[in-house]
Amino acid sequence: MSAPAVLLEPHAPAPEAPSIDDRVRDVATVAAEHLARHERDATFPVEALDRMRDTGLLGLLVPRTHGGLGGTSADVIRAGTALGRVDMSVAMIFVMHCQQVAALVRFAHPRLRDELLPEIAAGRHYLASVTTESGKGGHLLTSQSALTAGQDGLAVDRFAPIVTGGEHADGFLVTMQSPHATSAQDVSLVYAHRDQLETERSGDWDPLGMRSSHSVALRLTGTVPAHHVIGEHGDFRTIVTTVFAPMAHLGWSACWLGTAAGALSRVVKLLRSPKNRGRADLDSELLLTRLSRARQRIDTVHALLEQTRRTVEAAPDLSVPRVQLLLNGLKITAAEQSYRAVDDLVDAVGMRHGYLKDSPTRLEQSLRDLRSAALNYSNDRLHLVDGKLALLDSEVRLD
Ligand SMILES: Cc1cc2nc3c(=O)[nH]c(=O)nc-3n(C[C@H](O)[C@H](O)[C@H](O)COP(=O)(O)OP(=O)(O)OC[C@H]3O[C@@H](n4cnc5c(N)ncnc54)[C@H](O)[C@@H]3O)c2cc1C
């Protein structure tokens, strides 16, 4: 018996899912549309976050088994660079979220993973990071506030002086002293849902740069279930060496690289535009040298970023001095050289297109944004760590 004709009709091919790069482009387009207003008002780019939710990009690092895109650190780097070309705040918001997701994927209790990862993949969970604390500054491996273990779970009472996207996050990863800490170094990482916390904001957000990161001060109080501790109690150091620092340094560097590359691209397009013909002397040795320097700095950061990514992907143990030195060196170099590349460009094009807010080069904003890079985990602190690590490697083993 022949099958009914309708069954013989070829199935319409399933619509192809957009690639990760397509999703990133989509978010970048939305970010560009709203950039000027958020920059002026120092407000959070809600439209770009909504697009990250709708495109599934918030689930970039969520494994496919939990409904995510199953992306890699190379994907985070490409996304951070592409978004950084448009808006460094949006780029940092995204890569910092990915850093939190990577920690959950690797270290969360299976029950928490099963609860949370599908929510992130579905775009319902944007995560913020709480590590900085008053009194200890940026020092990552200590905390001054203790978690208290009770019958209902773990009680959180934490002041966080700077939380990117803190008023828009659906959940927070927070460092605190573990319940049985004997010193400030016994640090645990815990996850808290927004609805498990009272969040009280203090002060305004009106910074020099990174204005739309909306990195406000919050007091967080509430209680979370015991299985919300990420990794072992008191062992935040392991999370830092294996996930937090690698993902932060690769991701941040990508954003800064993208910001500098975007700035150079806009300058070159302006210099070569027909409208500009005759206005700038493209044979000026000073101009050519400054463009060359900016490009050299950008290519240097790019090369170091790629080398560090390959090393991180291949290294069986990320805690060894050689790898930690490379990761810290990447962060320091990217922060310094991306900023200096844009500074070179300000000199290259001068007052009108280097210093005024309304220039299409947007150098003025890029420079202010990139000024945060050396502070966002202080380069000085990393140099002290690297000095100690350098002493441990008398052979100076190079990767
Ligand atoms: C745009 C932006 C967004 C941020 N978002 C977040 C966020 O979402 N969550 C979060 O937790 N944090 C966030 N941070 C904070 C960031 O990660 C750093 O921790 C913070 O900027 C450090 O603050 P600080 O410069 O006051 O402190 P410190 O690290 O204490 O540094 C202050 C200065 O003191 C000197 N210094 C002090 N002590 C030492 C020491 N022992 N060794 C060497 N130098 C020392 C350094 O020169 C340094 O420049 C953000 C920062 C920025 C700029």
Side-chain angles (χ1 to χ4, degrees), residues 218-270:
L218 293 177
R219 175 164 215 103
L220 307 174
T221 45
T223 304
V224 301
H227 73 279
H228 279 206
V229 63
I230 317 290
E232 298 295 319
H233 263 306
D235 194 23
F236 178 54
R237 176 180 284 275
T238 300
I239 299 176
V240 169
T241 47
T242 56
V243 175
F244 253 47
M247 284 305 295
H249 294 193
L250 292 170
W252 296 344
S253 300
C255 301
W256 302 333
L257 171 67
T259 303
L264 176 58
S265 167
R266 291 189 295 274
V267 165
V268 171
K269 282 179 185 154
L270 178 87

Side-chain angles (χ1 to χ4, degrees), residues 101-337:
V101 175
L104 285 174
V105 169
R106 178 90 178 266
F107 288 102
H109 189 284
R111 183 173 153 200
L112 181 62
R113 273 211 299 264
D114 290 345
E115 288 166 1
L116 210 49
L117 294 182
E119 291 292 300
I120 298 170
R124 286 189 286 270
H125 256 70
Y126 158 57
L127 302 176
S129 163
V130 177
T131 59
T132 306
E133 205 170 355
S134 310
K136 66 154 205 191
H139 191 229
L140 200 54
L141 296 173
T142 60
S143 176
Q144 308 202 328
S145 321
L147 280 167
T148 323
Q151 289 206 323
D152 303 340
L154 300 163
V156 173
D157 183 355
R158 172 77 150 78
F159 182 68
I162 176 161
V163 189
T164 293
E167 290 203 303
H168 300 268
D170 306 290
F172 302 81
L173 266 72
V174 186
T175 54
M176 294 187 69
Q177 273 181 35
S178 73
H180 311 293
T182 53
S183 79
Q185 273 84 24
D186 286 342
V187 175
S188 299
L189 183 67
V190 283
Y191 170 72
H193 260 329
R194 175 171 282 283
D195 60 13
Q196 290 164 335
L197 295 173
E198 295 280 324
T199 56
E200 190 191 335
R201 175 177 164 182
S202 55
D204 281 337
W205 172 249
D206 189 12
L208 175 71
M210 297 300 287
R211 292 176 60 77
S212 53
S213 71
H214 206 251
S215 304
V216 290
L218 293 177
R219 175 164 215 103
L220 307 174
T221 45
T223 304
V224 301
H227 73 279
H228 279 206
V229 63
I230 317 290
E232 298 295 319
H233 263 306
D235 194 23
F236 178 54
R237 176 180 284 275
T238 300
I239 299 176
V240 169
T241 47
T242 56
V243 175
F244 253 47
M247 284 305 295
H249 294 193
L250 292 170
W252 296 344
S253 300
C255 301
W256 302 333
L257 171 67
T259 303
L264 176 58
S265 167
R266 291 189 295 274
V267 165
V268 171
K269 282 179 185 154
L270 178 87
L271 290 173
R272 300 195 57 182
S273 72
K275 252 173 73 185
N276 198 54
R277 193 157 291 143
R279 291 206 185 150
D281 175 5
L282 296 191
D283 292 323
S284 154
E285 289 183 3
L286 209 47
L287 175 66
L288 294 173
T289 304
R290 282 172 172 154
L291 290 176
S292 155
R293 286 232 172 86
R295 179 70 197 225
Q296 178 198 350
R297 294 186 201 284
I298 288 167
D299 282 336
T300 302
V301 174
H302 183 226
L304 185 56
L305 176 57
E306 279 304 299
Q307 171 65 18
T308 309
R309 176 186 65 78
R310 282 194 292 270
T311 300
V312 165
E313 281 173 2
D317 178 5
L318 296 182
S319 69
V320 295
R322 176 176 66 78
V323 179
Q324 293 286 314
L325 278 162
L326 197 57
L327 276 163
N328 293 344
L330 166 67
K331 191 270 163 185
I332 294 168
T333 307
E336 288 175 353
Q337 297 303 317

Side-chain angles (χ1 to χ4, degrees), residues 3-12:
V6 67
L7 288 184
L8 293 176
E9 297 236 337
H11 289 293

